[in-house]
Amino acid sequence: MAAHIGRRLRKGAATTAVAAAAVAALSASQAPGATVDDQGRQSTGDATSAPDTAADDSATGNSPYYTDLPPLNSPNPSPSAGSGDAGDQRAGEAGIPATVLDAYKQAEATLREKKPGCNLPWQLLAAIGKVESGQARGGRVTADGTTVTPILGPQLDGNGFALIRDTDNGAYDGNRMYDQAVGPMQFIPSTWDWAGRDGNGDGRKDPNNIYDAALAAGHYLCRFDWDLSQQGDLRKAILSYNNSTDYLNTVLSWLEFYRRGTHEIPDGTGALPVDRSDDTARPGVTPSAPGTTPPARPGKPSGSRPSPSPAAPGNGGSPSTPPVTPPPATPPTPTDTVHHLEDAGTGTLTAMAGHTFAERVSTRAETEAGKAVAKVRIRFTLVGDTDTTFTGGETVATVTTDASGVAVAPALQAGERTGVFAVQAAVVGRSVKGVPYKATVTARAADALALAGEKEPTCVAGGEFAEPVQVKATYRGEAAGKVAVTATLVTSADDPAENDKGPYFKDADGKAVRSLTGLKTDADGQLTLPKLYADDTAGTFLLRLTTAGGATLDVKLTVEPAAAPSPEPDPSTDPAPSTDPSTQPSTDPSETPAA
């Protein structure tokens, strides 16, 4: 033990500087950051302080992590920069196993397309992967990216760690009593349940697969529309992964190290970290490394029976020893006291396609007596045929109840699919009746249409209108994009029946049509109609445009009469050509008049 402590002290002296330098470099010229509350709302505060969140609001449940720091030297030293053990250490620390590195870069590419505003660097995933599992235990993964053996953190039973009772019936971690962080990115089951992704395209979301886990970690870090190129958002994202300032600084130091260079090494040859944040968390118990079976709780050796009690005095035995006092029963968590959920005053959930819902789902957790329960995780899940999401593009969101027992879901962002769906609220880790909320997405609408340009369209009978009709749709003064528009040539202002004469459009076969559907404004609310033609009927006609939402515009079309053709000359009335030679022009050059 003394040797272990001495090694850590020597290492700390050598590596504290790189952590401080990395954090200082990343913090330079940055204003104080902001923390994030249980609902993702931002508040100003010290950038290095951790947000006040429950342990199971983090990706890992604030599970233990590796505290090893990167070497002081550059990750890409020149050939003459050093040799021997120091050089080997630099090369080993900077190297990332090939499959693991590929998973990080693939996740970055996917997020660049799906959430470009997040600006997720793959080096951040590498830094977290290093701290959480030592890059999947040095890259011990199969060809498809699945860990050779499951990587499990210690059970979160409240004994030196957070207390998170089982939420997955052991499906991910094999533990039906308490949750454990799972996989190379160390997700707890309740977080993986909504954050999990299929990163390798095999149709499964496996927390033990580095491609799936890396993509899930990227989406997790990019929620709430965080921009990771901004120092404040970067800090909040890292702290949301594991709520510890030491964790933040450790990840930042590896992020800076990998940004200065790295290289690919064969799978299974990565350097294994040694020191862990829980080295002294449970006195008398050897901490478990990820990938091993967690140690038994103190006083309860795993797989053993209690030793027979010594014979009591007077029965021929030795004096009895004091009985071992069993550990006190684990006190109930707030989740254990929840009896039911109640709607906390949610209004009507209706929004137009492409718009944000004005109302947010609000749920209250209560005991059987109706008392509010704080610090309970409420999972909100979108159910039904819908492409609506919560802010950030997720279909599941988990929020912790506040002091009044209320959890407010993130805002809903309506997709393009109209109709009714539901938002289901449930307690994470407890089977109590949930609360469903009905939500409706209506078609995009406009409340006003206006003709672009000042001139009314005109043409000559039998011709075509030179300029197409252009209009702009608005809703509450803003451009109404992607709004459906119907165009009909009506009989008159009082008779909406389709006209049977006058201007017309042409269908794909070139036939005359006087009503068009399926038209839509562009993103700026603009719409240019197809070319209009005119038959032989002159006069004034009306083109009526209507949209969902009740906007109507009548466009006046004028067809002028065609010009009368010039009369052909009548041969019977023309004089006969003269045959008098004296009237014919002379062809004799000598008779040409002088100039």
Side-chain angles (χ1 to χ4, degrees):
M1 182 65 178
H4 173 70
I5 294 175
R7 177 176 54 77
R8 292 201 67 186
L9 290 175
R10 290 193 299 274
K11 180 179 180 181
T15 57
T16 299
V18 73
V23 174
L26 290 168
S27 303
S29 304
Q30 297 292 339
T35 60
V36 59
D37 65 13
D38 293 331
Q39 298 163 19
R41 294 187 293 257
Q42 300 173 9
S43 59
T44 303
D46 182 3
T48 62
S49 62
D52 182 17
T53 58
D56 53 350
D57 277 330
S58 69
T60 68
N62 296 336
S63 293
Y65 57 91
Y66 287 109
T67 58
D68 297 46
L69 293 172
L72 289 169
N73 301 79
S74 168
N76 281 334
S78 63
S80 61
S83 61
D85 293 342
D88 292 342
Q89 182 193 26
R90 288 193 296 270
E93 295 286 13
I96 298 178
T99 299
V100 178
L101 180 60
D102 182 60
Y104 296 149
K105 291 185 175 182
Q106 184 170 302
E108 179 198 55
T110 300
L111 268 297
R112 190 185 304 123
E113 177 185 353
K114 299 295 184 182
K115 296 184 178 181
C118 178
N119 294 307
L120 171 77
W122 67 261
Q123 292 91 340
L124 176 58
L125 297 176
I128 291 176
K130 179 71 173 181
V131 170
E132 293 295 346
S133 68
Q135 310 297 20
R137 301 299 293 155
R140 294 183 65 240
V141 296
T142 60
D144 70 346
T146 302
T147 57
V148 175
T149 57
I151 299 177
L152 294 175
Q155 66 179 15
L156 301 175
D157 57 7
N159 189 15
F161 308 118
L163 174 59
I164 305 179
R165 298 191 190 279
D166 176 56
T167 62
D168 66 330
N169 198 29
Y172 295 119
D173 55 14
N175 190 333
R176 296 188 178 184
M177 292 187 64
Y178 301 99
D179 273 350
Q180 295 174 243
V182 181
M185 303 304 279
Q186 289 289 277
F187 280 96
I188 55 175
S190 58
T191 302
W192 181 262
D193 189 56
W194 64 265
R197 294 294 191 279
D198 176 16
N200 64 349
D202 64 356
R204 300 174 59 235
K205 300 176 182 178
D206 182 3
N208 292 298
N209 183 280
I210 186 59
Y211 287 98
D212 294 359
L215 183 58
H219 276 278
Y220 185 91
L221 295 165
C222 289
R223 70 200 194 285
F224 302 133
D225 293 328
W226 283 331
D227 178 358
L228 302 186
S229 67
Q230 300 297 316
Q231 189 65 18
D233 283 357
L234 174 65
R235 289 174 176 270
K236 285 183 289 186
I238 297 172
L239 286 170
S240 77
Y241 211 89
N242 192 311
N243 187 20
S244 162
T245 301
D246 289 340
Y247 179 87
L248 168 69
N249 292 336
T250 305
V251 170
L252 287 176
S253 66
W254 281 105
L255 170 60
E256 181 65 14
F257 181 77
Y258 287 135
R259 277 177 168 168
R260 285 185 283 133
T262 187
H263 58 273
E264 178 184 301
I265 60 176
D267 289 345
T269 64
L272 298 179
V274 176
D275 299 322
R276 300 230 317 164
S277 61
D278 63 335
D279 277 353
T280 59
R282 307 174 81 169
V285 179
T286 302
S288 61
T292 63
T293 302
R297 294 177 59 181
K300 292 188 177 182
S302 175
S304 64
R305 296 176 179 271
S307 301
S309 299
N315 291 336
S318 59
S320 63
T321 58
V324 177
T325 302
T330 304
T333 66
T335 301
D336 296 330
T337 67
V338 177
H339 178 267
H340 60 273
L341 296 178
E342 293 284 347
D343 178 18
T346 305
T348 302
L349 297 171
T350 302
M352 187 188 304
H355 289 241
T356 301
F357 281 71
E359 286 286 330
R360 293 168 66 177
V361 177
S362 180
T363 300
R364 175 182 164 95
E366 297 182 354
T367 64
E368 186 173 7
K371 182 179 178 181
V373 185
K375 296 184 178 180
V376 174
R377 299 186 81 206
I378 306 298
R379 180 184 294 124
F380 298 95
T381 306
L382 304 187
V383 180
D385 184 18
T386 183
D387 56 353
T388 295
T389 64
F390 291 110
T391 301
E394 306 295 344
T395 57
V396 179
T398 303
V399 181
T400 301
T401 57
D402 59 17
S404 62
V406 175
V408 180
L412 287 166
Q413 179 65 41
E416 295 301 322
R417 197 171 302 163
T418 61
V420 177
F421 65 97
V423 182
Q424 183 74 31
V427 179
V428 176
R430 186 167 174 80
S431 297
V432 299
K433 186 177 180 180
V435 180
Y437 297 84
K438 177 183 175 182
T440 305
V441 176
T442 61
R444 289 178 178 265
D447 55 17
L449 280 170
L451 184 66
E454 300 179 354
K455 294 182 178 181
E456 294 181 342
T458 62
C459 81
V460 176
E464 60 184 50
F465 289 80
E467 299 293 333
V469 175
Q470 294 181 315
V471 297
K472 181 171 183 177
T474 56
Y475 182 77
R476 296 180 180 176
E478 300 292 332
K482 300 181 181 179
V483 174
V485 179
T486 298
T488 305
L489 290 146
V490 298
T491 301
S492 68
D494 299 325
D495 185 356
E498 184 179 304
N499 208 336
D500 59 358
K501 57 185 177 181
Y504 60 92
F505 300 104
K506 288 183 179 180
D507 64 13
D509 297 326
K511 296 180 180 179
V513 293
R514 290 186 168 86
S515 183
L516 294 178
T517 59
L519 303 172
K520 279 191 177 182
T521 60
D522 62 17
D524 298 322
Q526 303 276 357
L527 172 64
T528 300
L529 272 66
K531 182 182 287 291
L532 275 164
Y533 302 86
D535 61 13
D536 294 334
T537 308
T540 301
F541 303 89
L542 285 182
L543 171 63
R544 178 162 295 174
L545 304 174
T546 58
T547 72
T552 301
L553 174 67
D554 285 344
V555 180
K556 181 181 177 182
L557 304 177
T558 302
V559 179
E560 298 175 346
S566 300
E568 293 292 334
D570 186 353
S572 63
T573 60
D574 287 346
S578 174
T579 57
D580 185 355
S582 64
T583 63
Q584 302 301 311
S586 175
T587 59
D588 185 352
S590 63
E591 296 181 3
T592 301

